[in-house]
Amino acid sequence: AIPWLRKHARGPFFMWAHYFDCHAPYELHDQYEDLPYNPAAHIAETAGHPEPDPATVRRIQAYDGEIAYTDHFVGELLDELTRLKIDGKTLVIVMADHGESLGEHGYVGHGNELYQSIVHIPLIISFPGKLPEGSRISEDVSSLDVMPTVLDFLGVPVKRLPLEGSSLLPVIRTGITEPDSKAFFL
């Protein structure tokens, strides 16, 4: 991703970098092998269930290591934006495609259940000087809202397009959500 960015960052560009490391099978990377295991972070949804077995704990540690590993490389990409002096004029969106169940509710994986651990994903949008820092939307939004948000940044009238999502810019700028904004999981 960084060589591509160096080549194309002289003018307007769109870059999509998909870091696949947080997907199974999880690898234990040496530098993240000793991350502390925090059961509360993974089994908050399973109150009353016994402590996970050693295999589950190891899977959780490997998953956490994959998250840390990916975070490192996302950081390198963001550092490159700074080195290229385009960090202040680049819209950056970081999000996950889905969450992962690591034993909560007796389920491991994703795709067959709709628990919070699977549907609640990070969505971080940064555009220095154009968006307020530290804003947080407490209501659920959808990954379908990302494209309309990007188009809205570009000045494309999203209300005229046949899109399923909605731009998040009005909510980000005002903190006020529309009464009919809902996210559904099927």
Side-chain angles (χ1 to χ4, degrees), residues 52-68:
D53 60 62
T56 300
V57 170
R58 197 69 176 149
R59 180 174 53 247
I60 291 169
Q61 288 173 317
Y63 180 77
D64 287 351
E66 292 284 25
I67 297 292

Side-chain angles (χ1 to χ4, degrees), residues 4-5 8-16 81 86 89-91:
W4 187 96
L5 182 61
H8 293 90
R10 292 180 184 89
F13 68 92
F14 174 84
M15 176 184 203
W16 178 67
L81 292 175
I86 59 173
K89 57 183 181 178
T90 302
L91 170 65

Side-chain angles (χ1 to χ4, degrees), residues 3 7 9 27 31 35 79 81 100 110-111 114 119-120 126 131 138 143 151 157-158 164-165 169:
K7 181 177 178 183
E27 293 182 35
Q31 65 271 42
L35 289 174
D79 289 345
L81 292 175
E100 192 75 3
H110 62 273
L114 293 175
V119 299
H120 187 230
S126 175
L131 289 176
S138 59
S143 57
L151 292 174
V158 294
E164 292 184 41
L169 274 185

Side-chain angles (χ1 to χ4, degrees), residues 29-152:
H29 300 279
D30 292 341
Q31 65 271 42
Y32 304 110
E33 190 172 12
D34 295 326
L35 289 174
Y37 168 62
N38 177 5
H42 295 283
I43 57 173
E45 295 182 37
T46 57
H49 286 78
E51 278 291 310
D53 60 62
T56 300
V57 170
R58 197 69 176 149
R59 180 174 53 247
I60 291 169
Q61 288 173 317
Y63 180 77
D64 287 351
E66 292 284 25
I67 297 292
Y69 180 80
T70 301
D71 181 71
H72 168 80
F73 286 101
V74 170
E76 284 195 358
L77 187 56
L78 295 175
D79 289 345
E80 189 63 25
L81 292 175
T82 302
R83 279 190 288 280
L84 293 169
K85 297 181 176 26
I86 59 173
D87 55 321
K89 57 183 181 178
T90 302
L91 170 65
V92 175
I93 300 173
V94 177
M95 66 180 287
D97 54 349
H98 55 76
E100 192 75 3
S101 183
L102 298 165
E104 303 91 341
H105 305 283
Y107 178 66
V108 174
H110 62 273
N112 294 324
E113 303 289 342
L114 293 175
Y115 295 113
Q116 277 293 95
S117 59
I118 300 168
V119 299
H120 187 230
I121 61 169
L123 172 59
I124 302 165
I125 302 175
S126 175
F127 203 169
K130 307 255 194 236
L131 289 176
E133 290 185 29
S135 294
R136 186 179 178 107
I137 300 173
S138 59
E139 289 80 16
D140 289 338
V141 299
S142 170
S143 57
L144 294 173
D145 298 331
V146 173
M147 187 175 92
T149 302
V150 171
L151 292 174
D152 200 3

